[in-house]
């Protein structure tokens, strides 16, 4: 069977990670969390005391940083220069710095090559902001997942509390609104659905329903693809 690239984009808290992981698992594909790459850089920048305006240093840092995404027991581990930062990159501070870092064109350029290399042989479910528009414009399946700001903030708040991070719902919502605004209005690779993406509003849908919807679109592609030549 042909190994497809499935691109799932959308704003923070739309459910991309949960959906992408389950779709990857169901198809036996590799899962590529592109936001983790930007978060990994933001984590390292925070360790170095860099601020969003330290663009030159952030670019230099990006050039000399080795980020690895490892698949372990169906989970993705994130390594920065060999150090496991899987949990450390999930804090609100890291998320808030990842957004301005992701607006630096040179950083995006470096990560673009990295992401394309990862998906070169297909068999990949990629999730992020620009995987269907910029990274994999030829992806066989493109999905844009979205939900209302309240619903997305509610989901993210719950997730942070479960991780033991104490933060108010209002703060999560404010951070998310600011991040949406920055990610959608930046000049380079702004957050928007690819023209050929299927938009799914997940407000009133369960995770299982969204996964099933995406798998249905994948199956439709499988039956449309010519069988691989032997
Ligand atoms: O999905 P996330 O919250 O882990 O993403 C962290 C930040 O990285 C987010 O503010 C936007 C940015 N990002 C991006 O610009 N392009 C991507 N493909 C993925 C994430």
């Amino acid at each position: 069977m042909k190994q497809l690239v499935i691109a799932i984009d959308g704003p923070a808290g739309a459910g991309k990670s949960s959906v992408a992981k389950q779709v990857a698992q169901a198809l036996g594909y590799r899962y590529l969390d592109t936001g983790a790459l930007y978060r990994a850089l933001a984590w390292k920048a925070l360790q170095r005391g860099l601020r969003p305006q330290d663009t030159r240093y952030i670019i230099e840092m990006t050039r000399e940083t080795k980020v690895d995404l490892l698949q372990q027991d169906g989970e993705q581990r994130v390594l920065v220069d060999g150090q496991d930062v899987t949990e450390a990159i999930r804090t609100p501070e890291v998320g808030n710095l990842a957004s301005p870092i992701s607006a630096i064109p040179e950083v995006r350029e470096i990560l673009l090559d990295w992401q394309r290399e990862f998906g070169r042989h297909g068999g990949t479910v990629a999730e992020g902001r620009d995987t269907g528009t910029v990274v994999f414009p030829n992806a066989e399946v493109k999905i844009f997942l979205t939900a209302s700001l309240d619903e997305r903030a509610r989901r993210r708040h719950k997730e942070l509390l479960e991780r033991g991070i104490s933060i108010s719902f209002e703060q999560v919502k404010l951070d998310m609104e600011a991040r949406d605004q920055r990610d959608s209005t930046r000049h380079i690779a702004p957050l928007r659905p690819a023209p050929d993406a299927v938009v799914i509003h997940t407000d009133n849908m369960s995770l299982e329903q969204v996964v099933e919807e995406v798998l249905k679109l994948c199956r439709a592609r499988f039956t449309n693809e010519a069988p691989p030549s032997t």
Side-chain angles (χ1 to χ4, degrees):
M1 190 109 69
K2 188 170 188 287
Q3 295 276 295
L4 311 182
V5 172
I6 296 152
I8 303 181
D9 290 317
K16 301 183 299 292
S17 308
S18 312
V19 172
K21 272 186 217 163
Q22 292 208 9
V23 169
Q25 202 164 21
L27 298 174
Y29 278 14
R30 296 203 303 159
Y31 162 55
L32 171 56
D33 171 4
T34 63
L37 302 174
Y38 294 96
R39 284 175 178 268
L41 295 175
W43 174 83
K44 185 166 171 179
L46 279 175
Q47 302 295 303
R48 293 191 169 185
L50 296 175
R51 296 153 309 160
Q53 60 268 37
D54 299 325
T55 312
R56 199 162 60 81
Y57 294 105
I58 292 172
I59 296 168
E60 260 172 43
M61 183 201 79
T62 303
R63 289 208 177 98
E64 64 194 32
T65 300
K66 188 171 182 298
V67 182
D68 292 299
L69 299 186
L70 304 182
Q71 319 277 322
Q72 220 174 57
D73 306 325
E75 284 294 319
Q76 180 182 260
R77 310 292 312 170
V78 185
L79 268 54
V80 172
D81 303 321
Q83 183 177 345
D84 192 327
V85 296
T86 311
E87 277 81 33
I89 62 168
R90 296 296 159 193
T91 64
E93 294 74 28
V94 171
N96 288 342
L97 184 59
S99 181
I101 285 185
S102 73
I104 303 172
E106 289 85 348
V107 169
R108 297 203 77 86
E109 196 63 38
I110 295 167
L111 291 186
L112 182 62
D113 292 342
W114 194 106
Q115 294 166 82
R116 286 191 175 151
E117 185 55 32
F118 188 102
R120 198 152 62 94
H121 301 294
T124 299
V125 181
E127 60 116 327
R129 303 293 189 286
D130 64 341
T131 65
T133 48
V134 177
V135 185
F136 301 114
N138 298 322
E140 283 85 358
V141 179
K142 295 184 187 178
I143 312 284
F144 192 85
L145 279 192
T146 188
S148 64
L149 176 63
D150 268 315
E151 176 63 18
R152 292 187 290 114
R154 199 185 57 73
R155 291 177 191 166
R156 181 55 53 90
H157 185 230
K158 183 166 171 271
E159 191 186 308
L160 290 171
L161 292 186
E162 280 168 4
R163 269 207 212 101
I165 296 171
S166 149
I167 185 167
S168 69
F169 170 78
E170 285 68 30
Q171 190 58 52
V172 172
K173 191 172 160 184
L174 276 176
D175 283 353
M176 197 169 253
E177 204 170 11
R179 203 133 73 83
D180 281 356
Q181 173 71 9
R182 270 197 307 265
D183 295 346
S184 324
T185 54
R186 67 183 176 213
H187 290 298
I188 178 163
L191 169 67
R192 60 177 173 80
D196 50 348
V198 175
V199 179
I200 304 178
H201 291 271
T202 67
D203 268 75
N204 296 309
M205 290 175 83
S206 67
L207 174 60
E208 292 70 29
Q209 287 172 320
V210 182
V211 170
E212 192 40 50
E213 190 71 29
V214 175
L215 285 173
K216 217 190 293 169
L217 293 164
C218 296
R219 284 188 213 109
R221 282 315 297 243
F222 283 132
T223 43
N224 283 341
E225 295 291 330
S229 54
T230 46

